[in-house]
Amino acid sequence: MSNNTKQPSLAWPGLIRRYADYLPVNEFTPIVTLLEGNTPLLKADSLAREMGGDIELYLKYEGLNPTASFKDRGMTMAVSKAKERGADVVVCASTGNTSASAAAYAARAGLKCVVLLPNGKIALGKLAQALMYGATTISIEGNFDDALRIVRELGETGQVEVVNSVNPVRIEGQKTASFEVVDQLGQAPDFHFLPVGNAGNITAYWKGYKEYFDLGISSSKPRMFGFQAANSAPIVDGSPIENPQTVATAIRIGNPASWGGATNAVEESNGHIGKVTDNEILIAYKQLAKTEGIFAEPACAAPLAGLKNCLLNDKIPEGSKIVVTLTGHGLKDPDNAINEAGYTPAVVAPELDAVKDIIGL
Ligand SMILES: *Cc1c(COP(=O)(O)O)cnc(C)c1O
């Protein structure tokens, strides 16, 4: 078993240096890093109890990456490789987090960045990031799938480097999350739950788990359980969706680029791909914050809602070790948080009695 869990966090060198043996890099690759990765794996006993499950539940809190989503894992690779090839400009289509990450790593690398976003459907924090990191930010009057189509066409001109997860080195970087889970847990979990949008991440996690297993670092592989939002569930429904809708904007995707990777992960691992309603997502979103003190963006609640349903339907054997990836930080999406919190602060006179009245003292 790996002894790397003992590595003090202050010495963390970023995920490319930590996992270089398993990544397509060499000594000449200019490593562009913000010291991403090494995110906490938090045991969530209270949440497991509230969900009514006799399970060992762990949360891989990817919102603690440098730009506050797991996208940094793929982006450190994509931008390093773009720089190695001598690219000047990186481009991506994004529901928000990819653009935030691309913009940050491009800034770090001294490259130009262009991001294409679906107009009006991007969480406020993500937009703020792209603008602050200095990306040329373009709103497309269409959805993510339209933006990705244009980015692919831009890529064909040969003048720009596409850093969407259609770029295979993104998947390579993202697979390191599975390595970390095994390193932190000392073994692979029985189940891995995560949200599915463009399906790059479920593809990457499965690749990582398989590689550690094939190398003999882990002795088992988890069953992969992916969850889409009910009105953005092309894989579950079996065909692309023209106009996907969901409050979880990070997974509002009608035609996933890594569709085949997702179905492969589910088939090979004896897993499951399911869907949950926006209402179920919002309930789990609030429950996570109130029960564990972990604020994650709405998309992260899709696999939690899915897990709840699986427990209700007796799909999970007692005592199972389950890891759920929390893909992005709750501060990304302040609008949904404030709407869903269900109340606004009382405004009172600056006097002790006024405050005591509100508290009920
Ligand atoms: C990108 C993203 C997803 C979806 O991941 P895919 O690889 O596109 O399936 C889920 N949650 C968050 C927060 C994301 O940023």
Side-chain angles (χ1 to χ4, degrees), residues 29-338:
T29 307
I31 296 176
V32 181
T33 180
L34 291 162
L35 302 187
E36 58 295 310
N38 196 27
T39 57
L41 186 68
L42 293 154
K43 194 146 185 279
D45 292 338
S46 305
L47 187 61
R49 211 174 307 121
E50 274 207 6
M51 285 182 167
D54 183 7
I55 53 172
E56 237 180 79
L57 178 60
Y58 296 88
L59 305 172
K60 183 67 171 156
Y61 193 13
E62 291 287 279
L64 294 189
N65 275 297
T67 76
S69 86
F70 76 84
K71 298 299 198 298
D72 295 342
R73 291 183 185 275
M75 211 52 77
T76 183
M77 278 298 299
V79 174
S80 295
K81 295 304 278 188
K83 195 160 172 148
E84 185 176 70
R85 279 194 281 271
D88 297 317
V89 186
V90 299
V91 301
C92 67
S94 179
T95 60
N97 282 332
T98 299
S99 58
S101 189
Y105 282 82
R108 185 88 169 153
L111 303 179
K112 281 209 190 83
C113 180
V114 179
V115 305
L116 273 59
L117 309 170
N119 190 28
K121 295 292 184 183
I122 172 164
L124 206 57
K126 304 176 188 182
L127 181 60
Q129 286 179 293
L131 299 174
M132 276 302 288
Y133 295 133
T136 300
T137 305
I138 303 169
S139 270
I140 302 292
E141 289 178 324
N143 58 32
F144 170 82
D145 304 281
D146 296 315
L148 183 58
R149 173 178 45 80
I150 296 168
V151 162
R152 285 186 199 256
E153 288 164 10
L154 274 173
E156 281 161 21
T157 67
Q159 292 168 303
V160 299
E161 183 88 4
V162 175
V163 294
N164 277 100
S165 59
V166 292
N167 179 333
V169 302
R170 280 273 309 277
I171 304 289
E172 292 299 310
Q174 287 173 207
K175 78 184 179 189
T176 61
S178 309
F179 296 168
E180 286 181 20
V181 168
V182 174
D183 290 343
Q184 289 168 318
L185 214 51
Q187 63 186 101
D190 301 309
F191 292 84
H192 194 112
F193 278 61
L194 76 175
V196 173
N198 217 20
N201 214 27
I202 190 169
T203 303
Y205 267 92
W206 181 235
K207 187 168 197 288
Y209 281 124
K210 280 197 298 189
E211 287 184 11
Y212 252 29
F213 178 80
D214 290 342
L215 289 161
I217 299 171
S218 60
S219 57
S220 64
K221 290 171 282 188
R223 297 175 65 188
M224 301 299 298
F225 275 43
F227 286 87
Q228 302 196 290
N231 294 319
S232 303
I235 302 178
V236 181
D237 297 345
S239 58
I241 290 169
E242 198 66 48
N243 190 16
Q245 297 296 340
T246 171
V247 66
T249 50
I251 51 172
R252 184 174 170 268
I253 290 176
N255 192 10
S258 297
W259 190 313
T263 49
N264 182 58
V266 168
E267 275 166 25
E268 285 187 359
S269 74
N270 184 26
H272 173 72
I273 181 121
K275 57 182 177 180
V276 289
T277 65
D278 273 13
N279 192 42
E280 290 172 317
I281 287 173
L282 291 172
I283 289 169
Y285 170 60
K286 287 183 277 191
Q287 188 178 25
L288 171 67
K290 289 190 178 160
T291 310
E292 296 289 355
I294 299 172
F295 186 21
E297 69 171 282
C300 313
L304 291 173
L307 173 57
K308 247 195 237 183
N309 293 342
C310 287
L311 289 167
L312 279 175
N313 299 329
D314 280 333
K315 280 201 186 143
I316 312 286
E318 273 184 22
S320 295
K321 276 193 171 59
I322 299 174
V323 173
V324 179
T325 304
L326 302 178
T327 44
H329 202 288
L331 289 172
K332 293 275 194 177
D333 192 350
D335 293 313
N336 269 314
I338 289 168

